[in-house]
Amino acid sequence: MRHLTPRAAISGIGELKPVRKTENVATMDLLMRVAAEAIADAGITADEIDGLLVAPQVGETPQHVPATVAEYFGMQPTMSNMVDLGGASGPGMIWRAAAAIAAGQCETVLCVIGNHRNPVPPKSPNRNPAREFDTPFGASGANTSYALLMQAHMAAYGCTPEDYAQIAAGARGNAQFNPMAIFYGQPASVEEVLASPMVASPLHLFEIVMPVAGADAVIVTTADRAAKGPHRPVHLLGAGEKITHRAVSQAPSLTSGPLKPSIARALSQAGLSIEDIDFLSLYDCYTIMVAATIEDAGLCAPGQFGAWLRDNGGMGHEARKPINTHGGQLGFGQPDLAGGMTHVVEVVRQIRGTAPGRQMSRCDTALITGNGATMSEAVALVLGGAL
Amino acid sequence: MTDLSQLGVAGPIYEPLNQPFWEAAAQGVLKIQHCGACDRHVFYPRPICPHCWADALDWVAVSGRGRLKSYSEIWKPGHPGWIPVAPYLVGLVELDEGPTLLSHILAQDNHVQIGDRLTLAPTQIGGRVLPCFRKDPS
Ligand SMILES: [Zn+2]
């Protein structure tokens, strides 16, 4: 066994006095107070924290817990996660923090756990800020958030509905080469995308993923062990992560997201530029997400994704830089959280050379992007067929 | 068209930290927090300032004036309680004091543009008065 190198150290602590009961106090409130203690104890300021590990919040925030806490704290970490190991979560955070530091993803990690003990359970199990201050006004669900992002992007750069619709049409086109895809046998033209019902302007139905059931799995091992396996190994060459906010109202930018620094970090770790990437496996919950990612990756200037896609020859496996050859989630379907993993699985197929009917002529490097909440949780990976 | 006050929709859950916001809203006033240490306004409510981490937040009434940062006309609401009033507008309102909040936007024929000036328009939605915004007459 190898030692953990470089070794990490604990530099600050905080602890609230236990009480039998709290009175209508949110867990988030307790977390901020104890975090302030630990930050002061470490003799640092909050803006030095670039990693954040949290635990599940029973009865308060069911999903997107790290982003909800980070936004509340005014932090934008480059590594964040929820450690869900029951009573082992606290110690589990410590080695994960050290591993993230060793991986070059962050330098100072806040590990914070707490829970209220209010006598009367809240009516809703979901009473985080996005629920408290967005939903009462008629905004609920991701469609509204991405519609707001798309409207702002459209207005800032004068992009046309056709520019965005070609992403949905391209995804549907790719789905025709994947018999597994939910839209296999159902292509859609740009005109058909724009003729589909308006859901939340300017988003049409075909620009939104279809929810489906499904599952994906991946095995990660050492390069040495992978080399002994039956397939061409697919190496992780670089990674980047960034969390900027949770609710769309708190987004630092409506036209560019945390994938921009995440992609930059992943490429830098890999020692590659975006032009070196053969295959783009880009998270596509909505058309606007792919548009913003093409621009955040530096493939073109902001607002130019439409022209770039046309120059690229579309998104198919014969395009200059193929995009989402499995159909993307817009064509394959979104099996809930597994939707993001479909982009990983397709990259493995393309780099192995086992994407039947849609194999790229050459695929040695790929960029994978993952996106969560309101273009606010981002992960970028660079994978390659050689180290 | 159904009146907004008749909607059966989810409202806020009151707790000590956010109560000043909703109590003021019920009176038709927009109150948010202000940090005495870094002189910045804070929205939504926090126990400590998320900008400078000072324990120096107070509640202040603000102008209720702002600018439309983005909007969407909602045709298929995420919550079924809103279906009777669809299509309706939601938008991101950048207050003149700095913070951005999401709100319900009232405008003739739902006609708005990014950059429009907005004014607080307290409106009864379901059983409560919420701080909605109205497009200024141009
Ligand atoms: Zn402050």
Side-chain angles (χ1 to χ4, degrees):
Chain A
M1 298 300 286
R2 292 183 303 146
H3 287 294
L4 186 68
T5 52
R7 291 163 193 249
I10 294 173
S11 65
I13 52 169
E15 193 168 62
L16 299 187
K17 179 175 166 30
V19 291
R20 282 286 294 148
K21 280 185 192 170
T22 49
E23 289 290 340
N24 290 318
V25 171
T27 291
M28 214 72 74
D29 185 331
L30 302 177
L31 295 184
M32 193 171 199
R33 291 181 191 281
V34 76
E37 278 193 18
I39 290 164
D41 183 64
I44 61 173
T45 57
D47 57 10
E48 291 178 63
I49 290 169
D50 55 2
L52 177 66
L53 293 176
V54 301
Q57 290 179 13
V58 180
E60 192 160 313
T61 302
Q63 274 195 316
H64 304 292
V65 184
T68 301
V69 175
E71 177 192 286
Y72 198 95
F73 286 7
M75 292 177 179
Q76 298 189 2
T78 59
M79 184 285 296
S80 196
N81 208 349
M82 182 173 83
V83 181
D84 184 2
L85 296 174
S89 299
M93 287 176 178
I94 306 305
W95 83 258
R96 282 174 174 78
I101 294 166
Q105 298 299 330
C106 52
E107 291 189 345
T108 303
V109 182
L110 169 64
C111 304
V112 62
I113 314 188
N115 224 93
H116 70 75
R117 200 173 161 83
N118 296 339
V120 182
K123 286 195 190 94
S124 166
N126 181 358
R127 54 171 199 155
N128 53 83
R131 162 65 186 76
E132 288 298 292
F133 294 99
D134 291 3
T135 309
F137 294 97
S140 53
N143 292 345
T144 306
S145 299
Y146 284 85
L148 291 165
L149 294 168
M150 185 166 164
Q151 193 85 258
H153 187 268
M154 215 170 200
Y157 302 117
C159 302
T160 67
E162 288 76 13
D163 287 333
Y164 302 92
Q166 68 178 323
I167 293 165
R172 288 286 193 102
N174 284 352
Q176 306 320 306
F177 297 92
N178 184 0
M180 300 254 289
I182 201 84
F183 286 115
Y184 181 67
Q186 295 177 66
S189 66
V190 167
E191 293 71 29
E192 287 168 322
V193 171
L194 295 178
S196 67
M198 191 66 86
V199 173
S201 72
L203 273 175
H204 301 82
L205 183 63
F206 289 5
E207 299 184 83
I208 300 172
V209 282
M210 174 173 285
V212 296
D216 286 77
V218 167
I219 305 288
V220 179
T221 183
T222 63
D224 288 347
R225 282 174 182 257
K228 293 179 189 132
H231 306 289
R232 183 187 189 192
V234 178
H235 300 282
L236 177 63
L237 304 180
E241 183 169 301
K242 179 86 174 173
I243 291 85
T244 48
H245 61 283
R246 165 64 184 91
V248 67
S249 60
Q250 306 304 312
S253 164
L254 297 177
T255 55
S256 169
L259 270 173
K260 188 172 182 174
S262 304
I263 293 168
R265 183 190 288 261
L267 286 169
S268 163
Q269 285 197 335
L272 297 172
S273 83
I274 191 65
E275 286 308 325
D276 299 325
I277 299 295
D278 297 327
F279 177 36
L280 301 168
S281 196
L282 309 181
Y283 195 92
D284 62 336
C285 44
Y286 298 87
T287 50
I288 175 61
M289 193 62 221
V290 176
T293 302
I294 287 169
E295 295 171 5
D296 277 347
L299 289 160
C300 63
Q304 295 302 307
F305 78 92
W308 183 87
L309 270 172
R310 286 184 283 274
D311 290 348
N312 192 52
M315 293 164 51
H317 60 276
E318 291 175 337
R320 193 171 61 84
K321 284 191 191 297
I323 301 176
N324 294 347
T325 50
H326 68 309
Q329 298 177 71
L330 286 166
F332 181 82
Q334 180 173 59
D336 213 303
L337 300 185
M341 198 66 122
T342 68
H343 295 272
V344 179
V345 169
E346 181 70 0
V347 161
V348 175
R349 289 193 195 103
Q350 289 289 0
I351 291 179
R352 283 180 179 176
T354 59
R358 58 180 190 275
Q359 180 62 48
M360 293 165 51
S361 56
R362 196 192 68 141
C363 184
D364 292 322
T365 55
L367 172 69
I368 297 170
T369 60
N371 165 68
T374 59
M375 200 162 85
S376 55
E377 302 160 329
V379 172
L381 303 177
V382 173
L383 272 62
L387 274 173
Chain B
M1 183 169 155
T2 309
D3 195 287
L4 285 169
S5 66
Q6 302 304 311
L7 292 181
V9 295
I13 298 163
Y14 304 105
E15 57 191 30
L17 184 62
N18 68 24
Q19 205 144 3
F21 178 85
W22 294 114
E23 275 178 1
Q27 305 299 316
V29 175
L30 186 62
K31 272 192 182 177
I32 64 174
Q33 290 172 308
H34 176 263
C35 176
C38 71
D39 196 29
R40 294 178 70 175
H41 287 85
V42 172
F43 180 82
Y44 43 86
R46 314 292 212 287
I48 292 171
C49 174
H51 302 300
C52 75
W53 283 65
D55 188 0
L57 292 174
D58 275 321
W59 286 91
V60 295
V62 290
S63 65
R65 307 207 13 97
R67 188 188 73 94
L68 188 64
K69 250 165 82 172
S70 192
Y71 68 92
S72 177
E73 192 175 26
I74 308 295
W75 289 80
K76 311 269 182 213
H79 187 287
W82 283 91
I83 291 172
V85 293
Y88 60 89
L89 289 178
V90 298
L92 299 178
V93 183
E94 185 176 41
L95 300 174
D96 288 354
E97 289 80 7
T100 295
L101 57 87
L102 188 148
S103 188
H104 194 84
I105 308 296
L106 304 163
Q108 183 74 40
D109 300 325
N110 285 351
H111 279 165
V112 289
Q113 279 190 313
I114 289 173
D116 279 350
R117 292 292 303 166
L118 303 167
T119 301
L120 180 70
T123 303
Q124 190 168 343
I125 295 181
R128 49 196 83 73
V129 176
L130 298 186
C132 301
F133 284 78
R134 184 180 299 283
K135 182 181 169 177
D136 284 358
S138 46

